[in-house]
Short mmCIF file of all heavy atoms in Angstrom, two decimals:
data_model
loop_
_atom_site.label_atom_id
_atom_site.label_comp_id
_atom_site.label_asym_id
_atom_site.label_seq_id
_atom_site.Cartn_x
_atom_site.Cartn_y
_atom_site.Cartn_z
N ALA A 1 -87.92 -44.47 -47.21
CA ALA A 1 -89.01 -45.42 -47.13
C ALA A 1 -89.50 -45.76 -48.54
O ALA A 1 -89.61 -44.88 -49.38
CB ALA A 1 -90.16 -44.86 -46.30
N ALA A 2 -89.80 -46.99 -48.77
CA ALA A 2 -90.29 -47.44 -50.07
C ALA A 2 -91.75 -47.02 -50.24
O ALA A 2 -92.51 -46.97 -49.26
CB ALA A 2 -90.18 -48.95 -50.18
N PRO A 3 -92.15 -46.72 -51.48
CA PRO A 3 -93.57 -46.36 -51.70
C PRO A 3 -94.48 -47.55 -51.42
O PRO A 3 -94.08 -48.69 -51.58
CB PRO A 3 -93.62 -45.95 -53.17
CG PRO A 3 -92.38 -46.49 -53.79
CD PRO A 3 -91.37 -46.69 -52.70
N ALA A 4 -95.68 -47.24 -51.01
CA ALA A 4 -96.65 -48.30 -50.72
C ALA A 4 -97.02 -49.00 -52.02
O ALA A 4 -97.14 -48.36 -53.07
CB ALA A 4 -97.90 -47.69 -50.09
N PRO A 5 -97.18 -50.30 -52.00
CA PRO A 5 -97.58 -51.02 -53.22
C PRO A 5 -99.00 -50.62 -53.66
O PRO A 5 -99.83 -50.25 -52.82
CB PRO A 5 -97.53 -52.49 -52.82
CG PRO A 5 -97.63 -52.48 -51.33
CD PRO A 5 -97.07 -51.18 -50.86
N LEU A 6 -99.23 -50.68 -54.94
CA LEU A 6 -100.57 -50.38 -55.47
C LEU A 6 -101.51 -51.53 -55.16
O LEU A 6 -101.09 -52.69 -55.15
CB LEU A 6 -100.51 -50.18 -56.98
CG LEU A 6 -99.77 -48.94 -57.48
CD1 LEU A 6 -99.65 -48.98 -58.99
CD2 LEU A 6 -100.47 -47.68 -57.04
N PRO A 7 -102.78 -51.23 -54.92
CA PRO A 7 -103.75 -52.32 -54.72
C PRO A 7 -103.80 -53.21 -55.96
O PRO A 7 -103.54 -52.77 -57.07
CB PRO A 7 -105.08 -51.58 -54.53
CG PRO A 7 -104.72 -50.17 -54.22
CD PRO A 7 -103.37 -49.92 -54.82
N ALA A 8 -104.13 -54.46 -55.77
CA ALA A 8 -104.16 -55.43 -56.86
C ALA A 8 -105.10 -55.02 -57.99
O ALA A 8 -104.86 -55.34 -59.14
CB ALA A 8 -104.55 -56.80 -56.32
N GLU A 9 -106.19 -54.29 -57.65
CA GLU A 9 -107.16 -53.94 -58.70
C GLU A 9 -106.70 -52.79 -59.59
O GLU A 9 -107.31 -52.50 -60.60
CB GLU A 9 -108.54 -53.64 -58.10
CG GLU A 9 -108.59 -52.42 -57.21
CD GLU A 9 -108.28 -52.72 -55.75
OE1 GLU A 9 -107.88 -53.84 -55.42
OE2 GLU A 9 -108.43 -51.81 -54.93
N VAL A 10 -105.60 -52.12 -59.24
CA VAL A 10 -105.09 -51.03 -60.08
C VAL A 10 -104.25 -51.64 -61.19
O VAL A 10 -103.29 -52.34 -60.94
CB VAL A 10 -104.24 -50.03 -59.25
CG1 VAL A 10 -103.59 -49.01 -60.17
CG2 VAL A 10 -105.10 -49.35 -58.21
N ASN A 11 -104.63 -51.37 -62.40
CA ASN A 11 -103.93 -51.91 -63.56
C ASN A 11 -102.98 -50.83 -64.08
O ASN A 11 -103.42 -49.79 -64.55
CB ASN A 11 -104.95 -52.32 -64.64
CG ASN A 11 -104.27 -52.96 -65.84
OD1 ASN A 11 -103.05 -52.94 -65.99
ND2 ASN A 11 -105.08 -53.52 -66.71
N THR A 12 -101.68 -51.06 -63.99
CA THR A 12 -100.71 -50.06 -64.42
C THR A 12 -100.17 -50.35 -65.82
O THR A 12 -99.33 -49.63 -66.31
CB THR A 12 -99.53 -49.99 -63.44
OG1 THR A 12 -98.93 -51.28 -63.34
CG2 THR A 12 -99.99 -49.52 -62.06
N SER A 13 -100.65 -51.39 -66.46
CA SER A 13 -100.18 -51.69 -67.82
C SER A 13 -100.83 -50.74 -68.81
O SER A 13 -101.91 -50.21 -68.57
CB SER A 13 -100.53 -53.13 -68.18
OG SER A 13 -101.92 -53.26 -68.36
N PRO A 14 -100.15 -50.50 -69.94
CA PRO A 14 -100.72 -49.60 -70.95
C PRO A 14 -102.12 -50.00 -71.40
O PRO A 14 -102.95 -49.17 -71.71
CB PRO A 14 -99.73 -49.69 -72.11
CG PRO A 14 -98.44 -50.10 -71.47
CD PRO A 14 -98.84 -50.97 -70.30
N SER A 15 -102.41 -51.29 -71.40
CA SER A 15 -103.74 -51.73 -71.83
C SER A 15 -104.82 -51.26 -70.86
O SER A 15 -105.98 -51.15 -71.22
CB SER A 15 -103.79 -53.25 -71.97
OG SER A 15 -103.58 -53.85 -70.70
N GLY A 16 -104.45 -50.94 -69.63
CA GLY A 16 -105.41 -50.45 -68.65
C GLY A 16 -105.93 -49.07 -68.98
O GLY A 16 -106.98 -48.66 -68.51
N TRP A 17 -105.20 -48.32 -69.80
CA TRP A 17 -105.63 -46.95 -70.14
C TRP A 17 -106.90 -46.96 -70.98
O TRP A 17 -107.68 -46.03 -70.92
CB TRP A 17 -104.52 -46.19 -70.84
CG TRP A 17 -103.39 -45.90 -69.92
CD1 TRP A 17 -102.15 -46.46 -69.95
CD2 TRP A 17 -103.39 -45.01 -68.80
NE1 TRP A 17 -101.39 -45.96 -68.92
CE2 TRP A 17 -102.12 -45.09 -68.20
CE3 TRP A 17 -104.35 -44.18 -68.25
CZ2 TRP A 17 -101.79 -44.34 -67.07
CZ3 TRP A 17 -104.01 -43.44 -67.13
CH2 TRP A 17 -102.75 -43.51 -66.56
N GLY A 18 -107.11 -47.99 -71.75
CA GLY A 18 -108.33 -48.07 -72.55
C GLY A 18 -109.57 -48.03 -71.66
O GLY A 18 -110.54 -47.36 -71.97
N SER A 19 -109.51 -48.70 -70.55
CA SER A 19 -110.66 -48.71 -69.66
C SER A 19 -110.84 -47.35 -68.99
O SER A 19 -111.96 -46.96 -68.69
CB SER A 19 -110.54 -49.82 -68.63
OG SER A 19 -109.41 -49.61 -67.81
N LEU A 20 -109.75 -46.62 -68.77
CA LEU A 20 -109.85 -45.27 -68.21
C LEU A 20 -110.56 -44.35 -69.21
O LEU A 20 -111.45 -43.58 -68.84
CB LEU A 20 -108.46 -44.72 -67.88
CG LEU A 20 -108.41 -43.30 -67.34
CD1 LEU A 20 -109.19 -43.19 -66.04
CD2 LEU A 20 -106.97 -42.88 -67.13
N GLU A 21 -110.19 -44.45 -70.48
CA GLU A 21 -110.84 -43.65 -71.52
C GLU A 21 -112.32 -44.01 -71.61
O GLU A 21 -113.17 -43.12 -71.73
CB GLU A 21 -110.17 -43.90 -72.88
CG GLU A 21 -108.77 -43.33 -72.98
CD GLU A 21 -108.76 -41.82 -73.06
OE1 GLU A 21 -109.61 -41.25 -73.78
OE2 GLU A 21 -107.91 -41.22 -72.40
N ALA A 22 -112.63 -45.29 -71.57
CA ALA A 22 -114.03 -45.72 -71.64
C ALA A 22 -114.81 -45.23 -70.43
O ALA A 22 -115.96 -44.80 -70.56
CB ALA A 22 -114.10 -47.25 -71.74
N SER A 23 -114.18 -45.25 -69.27
CA SER A 23 -114.83 -44.78 -68.05
C SER A 23 -115.11 -43.28 -68.15
O SER A 23 -116.19 -42.81 -67.79
CB SER A 23 -113.94 -45.09 -66.85
OG SER A 23 -114.51 -44.59 -65.68
N GLU A 24 -114.13 -42.52 -68.64
CA GLU A 24 -114.33 -41.08 -68.80
C GLU A 24 -115.48 -40.80 -69.77
O GLU A 24 -116.35 -39.97 -69.50
CB GLU A 24 -113.06 -40.41 -69.32
CG GLU A 24 -113.23 -38.91 -69.53
CD GLU A 24 -111.99 -38.25 -70.08
OE1 GLU A 24 -111.58 -38.57 -71.21
OE2 GLU A 24 -111.44 -37.39 -69.37
N ARG A 25 -115.50 -41.54 -70.87
CA ARG A 25 -116.55 -41.37 -71.88
C ARG A 25 -117.93 -41.62 -71.28
O ARG A 25 -118.86 -40.83 -71.47
CB ARG A 25 -116.28 -42.32 -73.05
CG ARG A 25 -117.29 -42.24 -74.16
CD ARG A 25 -116.95 -43.27 -75.25
NE ARG A 25 -117.99 -43.35 -76.22
CZ ARG A 25 -118.11 -42.56 -77.28
NH1 ARG A 25 -117.21 -41.64 -77.51
NH2 ARG A 25 -119.12 -42.69 -78.13
N GLN A 26 -118.06 -42.71 -70.53
CA GLN A 26 -119.36 -43.04 -69.93
C GLN A 26 -119.78 -41.99 -68.90
O GLN A 26 -120.96 -41.64 -68.80
CB GLN A 26 -119.31 -44.43 -69.28
CG GLN A 26 -119.20 -45.56 -70.28
CD GLN A 26 -120.33 -45.54 -71.30
OE1 GLN A 26 -121.50 -45.39 -70.96
NE2 GLN A 26 -119.98 -45.67 -72.56
N HIS A 27 -118.82 -41.48 -68.14
CA HIS A 27 -119.09 -40.44 -67.15
C HIS A 27 -119.59 -39.16 -67.84
O HIS A 27 -120.55 -38.54 -67.39
CB HIS A 27 -117.83 -40.18 -66.34
CG HIS A 27 -118.04 -39.44 -65.08
ND1 HIS A 27 -118.73 -39.96 -64.01
CD2 HIS A 27 -117.65 -38.20 -64.70
CE1 HIS A 27 -118.76 -39.07 -63.04
NE2 HIS A 27 -118.11 -37.99 -63.42
N LEU A 28 -118.95 -38.80 -68.94
CA LEU A 28 -119.37 -37.61 -69.70
C LEU A 28 -120.77 -37.79 -70.26
O LEU A 28 -121.62 -36.90 -70.16
CB LEU A 28 -118.39 -37.34 -70.84
CG LEU A 28 -116.99 -36.90 -70.45
CD1 LEU A 28 -116.08 -36.88 -71.67
CD2 LEU A 28 -117.01 -35.55 -69.77
N ILE A 29 -121.02 -38.95 -70.84
CA ILE A 29 -122.34 -39.23 -71.43
C ILE A 29 -123.42 -39.14 -70.35
O ILE A 29 -124.47 -38.53 -70.57
CB ILE A 29 -122.36 -40.60 -72.14
CG1 ILE A 29 -121.50 -40.54 -73.41
CG2 ILE A 29 -123.79 -41.03 -72.48
CD1 ILE A 29 -121.25 -41.89 -74.06
N ALA A 30 -123.16 -39.73 -69.20
CA ALA A 30 -124.15 -39.70 -68.11
C ALA A 30 -124.44 -38.27 -67.68
O ALA A 30 -125.61 -37.89 -67.50
CB ALA A 30 -123.66 -40.54 -66.93
N ALA A 31 -123.41 -37.46 -67.51
CA ALA A 31 -123.60 -36.07 -67.09
C ALA A 31 -124.35 -35.27 -68.15
O ALA A 31 -125.24 -34.48 -67.84
CB ALA A 31 -122.24 -35.42 -66.80
N LEU A 32 -124.00 -35.50 -69.42
CA LEU A 32 -124.67 -34.78 -70.50
C LEU A 32 -126.14 -35.19 -70.61
O LEU A 32 -127.02 -34.35 -70.81
CB LEU A 32 -123.94 -35.01 -71.82
CG LEU A 32 -122.61 -34.27 -71.95
CD1 LEU A 32 -121.74 -34.89 -73.04
CD2 LEU A 32 -122.85 -32.80 -72.23
N GLN A 33 -126.42 -36.47 -70.48
CA GLN A 33 -127.80 -36.93 -70.55
C GLN A 33 -128.62 -36.35 -69.39
O GLN A 33 -129.75 -35.91 -69.59
CB GLN A 33 -127.86 -38.47 -70.52
CG GLN A 33 -127.43 -39.09 -71.81
CD GLN A 33 -127.38 -40.62 -71.75
OE1 GLN A 33 -127.26 -41.21 -70.67
NE2 GLN A 33 -127.45 -41.25 -72.90
N GLN A 34 -128.03 -36.33 -68.21
CA GLN A 34 -128.73 -35.80 -67.04
C GLN A 34 -129.03 -34.31 -67.22
O GLN A 34 -130.05 -33.82 -66.75
CB GLN A 34 -127.91 -36.04 -65.78
CG GLN A 34 -128.68 -35.82 -64.51
CD GLN A 34 -127.92 -36.32 -63.29
OE1 GLN A 34 -126.70 -36.48 -63.32
NE2 GLN A 34 -128.64 -36.58 -62.22
N ALA A 35 -128.14 -33.60 -67.92
CA ALA A 35 -128.31 -32.16 -68.15
C ALA A 35 -129.07 -31.88 -69.45
O ALA A 35 -129.14 -30.73 -69.87
CB ALA A 35 -126.94 -31.49 -68.19
N GLY A 36 -129.62 -32.91 -70.06
CA GLY A 36 -130.34 -32.72 -71.32
C GLY A 36 -129.42 -32.21 -72.43
O GLY A 36 -129.83 -31.46 -73.29
N TRP A 37 -128.18 -32.62 -72.38
CA TRP A 37 -127.13 -32.22 -73.33
C TRP A 37 -126.87 -30.72 -73.31
O TRP A 37 -126.35 -30.15 -74.26
CB TRP A 37 -127.39 -32.76 -74.73
CG TRP A 37 -127.04 -34.23 -74.80
CD1 TRP A 37 -127.82 -35.26 -74.39
CD2 TRP A 37 -125.81 -34.80 -75.23
NE1 TRP A 37 -127.15 -36.45 -74.53
CE2 TRP A 37 -125.91 -36.20 -75.06
CE3 TRP A 37 -124.63 -34.27 -75.74
CZ2 TRP A 37 -124.88 -37.07 -75.39
CZ3 TRP A 37 -123.61 -35.14 -76.07
CH2 TRP A 37 -123.74 -36.53 -75.89
N ASN A 38 -127.19 -30.08 -72.19
CA ASN A 38 -126.84 -28.67 -72.00
C ASN A 38 -125.41 -28.66 -71.44
O ASN A 38 -125.17 -29.08 -70.31
CB ASN A 38 -127.81 -28.01 -71.02
CG ASN A 38 -127.51 -26.56 -70.77
OD1 ASN A 38 -126.38 -26.20 -70.43
ND2 ASN A 38 -128.52 -25.73 -70.93
N VAL A 39 -124.47 -28.20 -72.27
CA VAL A 39 -123.05 -28.27 -71.91
C VAL A 39 -122.74 -27.45 -70.67
O VAL A 39 -121.97 -27.87 -69.81
CB VAL A 39 -122.16 -27.85 -73.11
CG1 VAL A 39 -120.69 -27.81 -72.73
CG2 VAL A 39 -122.38 -28.80 -74.28
N THR A 40 -123.34 -26.28 -70.56
CA THR A 40 -123.08 -25.43 -69.39
C THR A 40 -123.52 -26.12 -68.11
O THR A 40 -122.78 -26.14 -67.12
CB THR A 40 -123.79 -24.06 -69.56
OG1 THR A 40 -123.32 -23.45 -70.76
CG2 THR A 40 -123.53 -23.16 -68.38
N LYS A 41 -124.72 -26.71 -68.11
CA LYS A 41 -125.22 -27.41 -66.91
C LYS A 41 -124.38 -28.64 -66.60
O LYS A 41 -124.08 -28.91 -65.44
CB LYS A 41 -126.68 -27.83 -67.12
CG LYS A 41 -127.66 -26.69 -67.05
CD LYS A 41 -129.07 -27.21 -67.24
CE LYS A 41 -130.08 -26.07 -67.22
NZ LYS A 41 -131.45 -26.57 -67.43
N ALA A 42 -124.00 -29.38 -67.63
CA ALA A 42 -123.18 -30.59 -67.41
C ALA A 42 -121.81 -30.20 -66.87
O ALA A 42 -121.30 -30.86 -65.95
CB ALA A 42 -123.05 -31.37 -68.71
N ALA A 43 -121.22 -29.14 -67.39
CA ALA A 43 -119.91 -28.69 -66.90
C ALA A 43 -120.00 -28.29 -65.43
O ALA A 43 -119.13 -28.62 -64.63
CB ALA A 43 -119.40 -27.51 -67.74
N ARG A 44 -121.07 -27.59 -65.08
CA ARG A 44 -121.27 -27.19 -63.69
C ARG A 44 -121.40 -28.42 -62.80
O ARG A 44 -120.81 -28.49 -61.72
CB ARG A 44 -122.53 -26.32 -63.60
CG ARG A 44 -122.51 -25.34 -62.45
CD ARG A 44 -123.70 -24.40 -62.48
NE ARG A 44 -123.61 -23.45 -63.59
CZ ARG A 44 -124.62 -23.10 -64.38
NH1 ARG A 44 -125.83 -23.63 -64.21
NH2 ARG A 44 -124.47 -22.24 -65.35
N ALA A 45 -122.16 -29.43 -63.24
CA ALA A 45 -122.35 -30.65 -62.46
C ALA A 45 -121.03 -31.42 -62.29
O ALA A 45 -120.79 -32.03 -61.25
CB ALA A 45 -123.39 -31.55 -63.13
N LEU A 46 -120.18 -31.37 -63.32
CA LEU A 46 -118.89 -32.06 -63.26
C LEU A 46 -117.80 -31.22 -62.60
O LEU A 46 -116.69 -31.70 -62.41
CB LEU A 46 -118.45 -32.45 -64.68
CG LEU A 46 -119.29 -33.51 -65.38
CD1 LEU A 46 -118.93 -33.59 -66.85
CD2 LEU A 46 -119.14 -34.86 -64.70
N ASP A 47 -118.14 -29.96 -62.30
CA ASP A 47 -117.19 -29.03 -61.69
C ASP A 47 -115.95 -28.83 -62.56
O ASP A 47 -114.82 -28.87 -62.10
CB ASP A 47 -116.79 -29.50 -60.29
CG ASP A 47 -116.15 -28.37 -59.47
OD1 ASP A 47 -116.47 -27.19 -59.73
OD2 ASP A 47 -115.35 -28.67 -58.58
N VAL A 48 -116.20 -28.64 -63.87
CA VAL A 48 -115.15 -28.30 -64.84
C VAL A 48 -115.64 -27.10 -65.64
O VAL A 48 -116.84 -26.79 -65.66
CB VAL A 48 -114.80 -29.47 -65.79
CG1 VAL A 48 -114.27 -30.67 -65.02
CG2 VAL A 48 -115.99 -29.87 -66.64
N SER A 49 -114.72 -26.44 -66.33
CA SER A 49 -115.12 -25.31 -67.16
C SER A 49 -115.86 -25.82 -68.40
O SER A 49 -115.70 -26.98 -68.82
CB SER A 49 -113.90 -24.49 -67.58
OG SER A 49 -113.14 -25.19 -68.54
N ARG A 50 -116.65 -24.94 -68.98
CA ARG A 50 -117.36 -25.28 -70.20
C ARG A 50 -116.37 -25.64 -71.31
O ARG A 50 -116.58 -26.57 -72.08
CB ARG A 50 -118.25 -24.11 -70.61
CG ARG A 50 -119.16 -24.42 -71.76
CD ARG A 50 -120.03 -23.20 -72.11
NE ARG A 50 -120.94 -23.52 -73.17
CZ ARG A 50 -120.59 -23.65 -74.45
NH1 ARG A 50 -119.35 -23.48 -74.82
NH2 ARG A 50 -121.49 -23.96 -75.37
N ASP A 51 -115.26 -24.89 -71.38
CA ASP A 51 -114.24 -25.16 -72.40
C ASP A 51 -113.62 -26.55 -72.22
O ASP A 51 -113.39 -27.26 -73.19
CB ASP A 51 -113.12 -24.11 -72.36
CG ASP A 51 -113.57 -22.76 -72.90
OD1 ASP A 51 -114.59 -22.71 -73.63
OD2 ASP A 51 -112.90 -21.76 -72.60
N THR A 52 -113.38 -26.94 -70.97
CA THR A 52 -112.83 -28.27 -70.70
C THR A 52 -113.81 -29.34 -71.14
O THR A 52 -113.42 -30.33 -71.77
CB THR A 52 -112.50 -28.43 -69.20
OG1 THR A 52 -111.48 -27.49 -68.85
CG2 THR A 52 -112.06 -29.85 -68.86
N LEU A 53 -115.08 -29.14 -70.84
CA LEU A 53 -116.08 -30.13 -71.24
C LEU A 53 -116.20 -30.19 -72.75
O LEU A 53 -116.27 -31.27 -73.33
CB LEU A 53 -117.43 -29.83 -70.60
CG LEU A 53 -118.53 -30.86 -70.89
CD1 LEU A 53 -118.09 -32.28 -70.54
CD2 LEU A 53 -119.80 -30.49 -70.17
N ARG A 54 -116.18 -29.04 -73.43
CA ARG A 54 -116.24 -29.03 -74.90
C ARG A 54 -115.05 -29.80 -75.49
O ARG A 54 -115.19 -30.57 -76.42
CB ARG A 54 -116.23 -27.60 -75.46
CG ARG A 54 -117.47 -26.81 -75.25
CD ARG A 54 -118.70 -27.18 -76.04
NE ARG A 54 -118.48 -27.83 -77.30
CZ ARG A 54 -119.35 -28.63 -77.89
NH1 ARG A 54 -120.51 -28.88 -77.34
NH2 ARG A 54 -119.09 -29.19 -79.05
N TYR A 55 -113.86 -29.59 -74.90
CA TYR A 55 -112.66 -30.31 -75.36
C TYR A 55 -112.87 -31.82 -75.22
O TYR A 55 -112.58 -32.58 -76.14
CB TYR A 55 -111.43 -29.87 -74.55
CG TYR A 55 -110.25 -30.77 -74.74
CD1 TYR A 55 -109.45 -30.68 -75.88
CD2 TYR A 55 -109.94 -31.75 -73.79
CE1 TYR A 55 -108.37 -31.53 -76.06
CE2 TYR A 55 -108.86 -32.60 -73.96
CZ TYR A 55 -108.08 -32.49 -75.10
OH TYR A 55 -107.02 -33.35 -75.28
N ARG A 56 -113.38 -32.24 -74.08
CA ARG A 56 -113.56 -33.68 -73.84
C ARG A 56 -114.67 -34.26 -74.72
O ARG A 56 -114.59 -35.40 -75.16
CB ARG A 56 -113.82 -33.95 -72.38
CG ARG A 56 -112.63 -33.51 -71.54
CD ARG A 56 -112.48 -34.28 -70.28
NE ARG A 56 -111.32 -33.83 -69.53
CZ ARG A 56 -110.10 -34.34 -69.68
NH1 ARG A 56 -109.88 -35.30 -70.55
NH2 ARG A 56 -109.10 -33.89 -68.96
N ILE A 57 -115.71 -33.48 -74.99
CA ILE A 57 -116.77 -33.92 -75.90
C ILE A 57 -116.18 -34.15 -77.28
O ILE A 57 -116.44 -35.17 -77.93
CB ILE A 57 -117.92 -32.89 -75.94
CG1 ILE A 57 -118.71 -32.92 -74.63
CG2 ILE A 57 -118.84 -33.14 -77.13
CD1 ILE A 57 -119.69 -31.77 -74.47
N ASP A 58 -115.36 -33.20 -77.73
CA ASP A 58 -114.71 -33.34 -79.05
C ASP A 58 -113.74 -34.52 -79.05
O ASP A 58 -113.68 -35.28 -80.02
CB ASP A 58 -113.98 -32.06 -79.43
CG ASP A 58 -114.94 -30.91 -79.73
OD1 ASP A 58 -116.14 -31.16 -79.96
OD2 ASP A 58 -114.47 -29.75 -79.72
N LYS A 59 -112.97 -34.66 -77.97
CA LYS A 59 -111.99 -35.75 -77.86
C LYS A 59 -112.66 -37.11 -78.01
O LYS A 59 -112.14 -38.01 -78.67
CB LYS A 59 -111.30 -35.65 -76.50
CG LYS A 59 -110.37 -36.79 -76.16
CD LYS A 59 -109.83 -36.61 -74.76
CE LYS A 59 -109.18 -37.88 -74.27
NZ LYS A 59 -108.77 -37.79 -72.87
N HIS A 60 -113.83 -37.27 -77.40
CA HIS A 60 -114.55 -38.54 -77.45
C HIS A 60 -115.56 -38.59 -78.58
O HIS A 60 -116.29 -39.58 -78.73
CB HIS A 60 -115.25 -38.80 -76.10
CG HIS A 60 -114.31 -39.09 -74.99
ND1 HIS A 60 -113.68 -40.31 -74.82
CD2 HIS A 60 -113.85 -38.30 -73.98
CE1 HIS A 60 -112.90 -40.27 -73.76
NE2 HIS A 60 -112.98 -39.06 -73.24
N ARG A 61 -115.61 -37.52 -79.37
CA ARG A 61 -116.53 -37.44 -80.53
C ARG A 61 -117.98 -37.72 -80.12
O ARG A 61 -118.68 -38.49 -80.76
CB ARG A 61 -116.08 -38.38 -81.64
CG ARG A 61 -114.72 -38.04 -82.18
CD ARG A 61 -114.35 -38.97 -83.32
NE ARG A 61 -113.03 -38.60 -83.83
CZ ARG A 61 -112.10 -39.47 -84.14
NH1 ARG A 61 -112.31 -40.76 -84.00
NH2 ARG A 61 -110.94 -39.05 -84.59
N LEU A 62 -118.38 -37.10 -79.01
CA LEU A 62 -119.74 -37.29 -78.51
C LEU A 62 -120.69 -36.35 -79.23
O LEU A 62 -120.34 -35.21 -79.53
CB LEU A 62 -119.80 -37.04 -77.01
CG LEU A 62 -118.92 -37.93 -76.15
CD1 LEU A 62 -119.03 -37.52 -74.68
CD2 LEU A 62 -119.29 -39.38 -76.31
N GLN A 63 -121.88 -36.84 -79.50
CA GLN A 63 -122.92 -36.03 -80.12
C GLN A 63 -124.25 -36.34 -79.45
O GLN A 63 -124.51 -37.49 -79.10
CB GLN A 63 -123.04 -36.34 -81.62
CG GLN A 63 -121.80 -35.95 -82.40
CD GLN A 63 -121.95 -36.26 -83.88
OE1 GLN A 63 -122.91 -36.91 -84.29
NE2 GLN A 63 -121.01 -35.81 -84.66
N PRO A 64 -125.08 -35.30 -79.31
CA PRO A 64 -126.41 -35.56 -78.73
C PRO A 64 -127.21 -36.52 -79.61
O PRO A 64 -127.00 -36.57 -80.82
CB PRO A 64 -127.07 -34.18 -78.68
CG PRO A 64 -126.18 -33.25 -79.42
CD PRO A 64 -124.89 -33.94 -79.71
N PRO A 65 -128.11 -37.27 -79.00
CA PRO A 65 -128.94 -38.17 -79.80
C PRO A 65 -129.79 -37.38 -80.78
O PRO A 65 -130.21 -36.26 -80.50
CB PRO A 65 -129.80 -38.89 -78.76
CG PRO A 65 -129.67 -38.11 -77.50
CD PRO A 65 -128.43 -37.29 -77.60
N GLN A 66 -130.03 -37.94 -81.91
CA GLN A 66 -130.79 -37.27 -82.98
C GLN A 66 -132.28 -37.37 -82.75
O GLN A 66 -132.83 -38.31 -82.39
CB GLN A 66 -130.46 -37.89 -84.33
CG GLN A 66 -128.98 -37.83 -84.63
CD GLN A 66 -128.56 -36.53 -85.29
OE1 GLN A 66 -129.32 -35.97 -86.07
NE2 GLN A 66 -127.37 -36.06 -85.00
#
């Protein structure tokens, strides 16, 4: 059987990955802001380890507001 076609709104081109990165960044920022930039609380809310969240914070070069 052939695989089901992807919905029209799914962008499989390499340029679509930029929006995935931007979406991840915004999701991280929202979780961190809601947790008052407490990494442990934000990681718990996102259901990821603290180390995973620290990696993603570094990857996106996120910093708490000054």
Side-chain angles (χ1 to χ4, degrees):
L6 292 173
E9 65 271 8
V10 173
N11 183 349
T12 57
S13 70
S15 64
W17 291 110
S19 62
L20 177 61
E21 290 289 318
S23 177
E24 179 182 64
R25 180 182 172 86
Q26 291 304 314
H27 196 66
L28 293 171
I29 291 170
L32 286 161
Q33 286 175 337
Q34 193 169 21
W37 283 81
N38 180 307
V39 176
T40 302
K41 287 181 182 179
R44 207 174 290 137
L46 293 169
D47 197 27
V48 298
S49 72
R50 187 179 183 285
D51 288 341
T52 296
L53 183 54
R54 289 289 333 155
Y55 167 78
R56 298 208 179 271
I57 289 169
D58 291 343
K59 173 184 166 186
H60 291 283
R61 298 182 179 137
L62 300 177
Q63 295 180 351
Q66 302 273 326

